[in-house]
Amino acid sequence: MPQSLENIEKRRVRDRQEVIELTQKLVQIPSVYRPGVEGGNEEKVALFVADYLKKLGIDVHVEEVEPGRPNVIGIIDSGKPGPTLLFEGHTDVVTEGDIEAWDYKPFSAVIEDGRMYGRGTNDTKGNLACMITAVHSLLRDQEDWSGKIILCIPCDEEGMMIGIKHFIKQGWAEGVDGAIICEPEENQLCITQKGAMRVVIRVQGKMAHGAMPLSGINPNTRMAKIICALDEYESREKTRLGRHELLGWPSITPTILQAPVKGDAQINVVPDQCMTTLDIRTIPGQFHDEIAREIQSILDNLAKEDPDFKAEFEVIEDRPWTETSKEEPVVQALAQAYQKVTGKEPFYNGVPGATDGTFLHLEGIPIVTTGAGDREVPHQINEYVDIEELAETTEIYRTAALIFLNGKK
């Protein structure tokens, strides 16, 4: 039975208060991954979430991916046949950096002038709180719906994404019909995202005295040629593909440059090895195996010109770009929910980076990335989220779930 306007307003006030309080509690439990530091992982916040979900009557599974790094999976089954909707929000946050540079303590979750400040408020504990509150709201109001909701709450989205990989390996993604990736996107509907390749290139040289460089082999000058060739390759790709409507330009970015790789650097010593890492971001029209072949071709061509050139590369992470049609039911559900909640037409966009949704997409699951928070704020000092946007996102998630699971409009 449709709710009265008065009851709808009461529910929104109730849900708003819950999402604020839950976001604060989540942010106040630090979950930066710090290898070798006791408690420097996601365990405390994951166990808090698991206990919170159990108290809501949700079927909860906690699976340890690595010591101290668990995934939490919540299952809400209507008992009636229907589609399966997945909400995904990770528990880890990036380092707070220089604590003295913050205006508020990074894990205090202070609220001031309509904003909550703290590491994770924006990326993405606020959105994790939104998806939990949205589902709790459906249960509390005993809404009628068919099918199943899965709450996927993995560790390590900010790293090598071991959490979502483990989630998929354990079979939890099987049978999912659509996924909402809960990340800070200003409630824009992001239906595409860039791919990512992380590459390590090593150039072998020969150690020598800086006053007698010809007695050695300098890996740095050879690495410089590689970087210049990669820069030319990036330019060719930009010319070939143009600027993507939602994702912008593809890029090949050298990030770490280190020589020597082991031992101490010294100004009068030619190092024996040089290493660089590449952060490659791709757009539709690019294929990662072709990029790998191009990198190998660059190395091969430089080796033909220089008998002392010895270089190799390794792809240590490969995340392809994703695209989801606007006609997919999960996109349609979110678009209708956004219209209903805000009274505005949805704004479609793309994610400039990769998300856990990348790997769900590889399983054939249509994904949409959306959530509260300014998309330029993640990982910054004084990270924040607007309180009213948290409330709006909660209502959008709730409404989208009902539309997707029941076809309600």
Side-chain angles (χ1 to χ4, degrees), residues 62-270:
V62 178
E63 297 182 343
E64 192 167 64
V65 181
E66 287 185 353
R69 311 195 75 185
N71 283 347
V72 178
I73 301 102
I75 307 293
I76 307 96
D77 194 334
S78 70
K80 295 181 287 186
T84 296
L85 176 65
L86 183 145
F87 285 97
E88 187 274 339
H90 58 90
T91 53
D92 61 319
V93 297
V94 297
T95 175
E96 67 275 32
D98 180 6
I99 295 176
E100 299 301 320
W102 287 71
D103 294 332
Y104 312 92
K105 291 181 180 179
F107 302 105
S108 61
V110 167
I111 296 176
E112 188 167 308
D113 295 330
R115 289 177 172 176
M116 186 188 301
Y117 291 86
R119 180 59 82 225
T121 51
N122 178 293
D123 184 14
T124 195
K125 286 180 175 177
N127 290 305
L128 174 56
C130 288
M131 77 187 214
I132 292 171
T133 304
V135 171
H136 184 201
S137 182
L138 295 176
L139 295 174
R140 228 177 351 192
D141 293 341
Q142 298 181 321
E143 290 281 8
D144 182 36
W145 53 278
S146 301
K148 185 188 297 182
I149 297 173
I150 298 178
L151 300 179
C152 171
I153 305 166
C155 63
D156 192 48
E157 191 270 352
E158 301 290 0
M160 298 299 283
M161 300 186 176
I162 63 172
I164 195 66
K165 292 173 183 175
H166 186 274
F167 175 87
I168 292 167
K169 186 177 180 181
Q170 295 302 111
W172 291 108
E174 294 175 8
V176 172
D177 297 292
I180 298 174
I181 310 304
C182 305
E183 294 280 354
E185 297 295 347
E186 302 167 34
N187 285 332
Q188 299 171 16
L189 306 190
C190 294
I191 55 175
T192 183
Q193 61 183 348
K194 281 187 176 180
M197 294 176 69
R198 291 178 179 170
V199 177
V200 178
I201 300 177
R202 297 179 180 87
V203 177
Q204 189 64 45
K206 181 183 177 184
M207 200 169 180
H209 196 298
M212 296 170 282
L214 295 181
S215 65
I217 299 172
N218 196 330
N220 293 344
T221 54
R222 289 160 175 84
M223 183 65 83
K225 291 179 181 179
I226 295 172
I227 292 173
C228 287
L230 288 168
D231 189 57
E232 292 174 2
Y233 175 45
E234 179 192 77
S235 295
R236 293 198 304 273
E237 286 293 272
K238 287 180 176 179
T239 299
R240 179 176 73 88
L241 295 158
R243 189 180 190 280
H244 189 274
E245 178 186 10
L246 300 179
L247 297 175
W249 300 102
S251 60
I252 301 174
T253 307
T255 48
I256 302 170
L257 186 61
Q258 186 176 349
V261 176
K262 294 181 180 179
D264 298 324
Q266 195 164 324
I267 198 167
N268 62 342
V269 176
V270 175

Side-chain angles (χ1 to χ4, degrees), residues 4 12 34 50 61 69 78-79 88 104 210 230 282 315 340 400:
S4 68
R12 288 181 174 178
R34 307 182 200 272
H61 303 260
R69 311 195 75 185
S78 70
E88 187 274 339
Y104 312 92
L230 288 168
T282 59
V315 179
K340 187 172 182 180

